[in-house]
Amino acid sequence: MTTARLSAATCSLSAVAVGALLVGCSASVNVEKAEPKLSADKLSTTVAEKLAATTGQPKPDVTCPDDLTGKVGTTTRCTLTADDGSTLGVTVTVSSIDGDTINFDIKADNAASPAAN
């Protein structure tokens, strides 16, 4: 797969488009603990894979700094970083627990933050 460099405006618009497509996006992950918990690394990977599947774009660079505890209503913030360095915040909210499976919704912010100079 060939990846072309996009202008800063295009990347920012792409990040915003991803945000628009993510409203109502959800995912679930099986975990194996008495109190379900999803590691920050696994959450980052799962969110990136879900974004790629939803948008039809390559898997983005997503970082989630905190583990996700399997309690309905729990939220954590992740960051999607575009190739130009601009960022888009992503909120992950636990919607339900089914045994060892944490089901969660993904919602991107409405606007991207420009890259730091």
Side-chain angles (χ1 to χ4, degrees):
M1 183 180 302
T2 304
T3 304
R5 289 194 168 242
L6 301 175
S7 69
T10 303
C11 286
S12 293
L13 289 175
S14 296
V16 172
V18 167
L21 291 172
L22 290 181
V23 176
C25 183
S26 62
S28 61
V29 177
N30 287 330
V31 291
E32 298 179 18
K33 293 185 180 180
E35 179 185 272
K37 186 174 270 196
L38 185 60
S39 74
D41 288 340
K42 179 66 175 168
L43 180 60
S44 298
T45 300
T46 303
V47 169
E49 289 170 350
K50 187 64 176 177
L51 294 175
T54 302
T55 62
Q57 299 293 318
K59 193 165 84 168
D61 177 17
V62 174
T63 303
C64 301
D66 300 314
D67 294 348
L68 183 64
T69 302
K71 181 178 178 187
V72 174
T74 299
T75 63
T76 190
R77 294 280 292 167
C78 301
T79 303
L80 182 154
T81 304
D83 290 339
D84 69 347
S86 63
T87 59
L88 184 67
V90 179
T91 301
V92 177
T93 305
V94 176
S95 56
S96 66
I97 307 298
D98 184 14
D100 289 337
T101 301
I102 300 174
N103 300 304
F104 56 87
D105 296 324
I106 304 166
K107 184 177 185 314
D109 292 351
N110 293 328
S113 298
N117 289 330

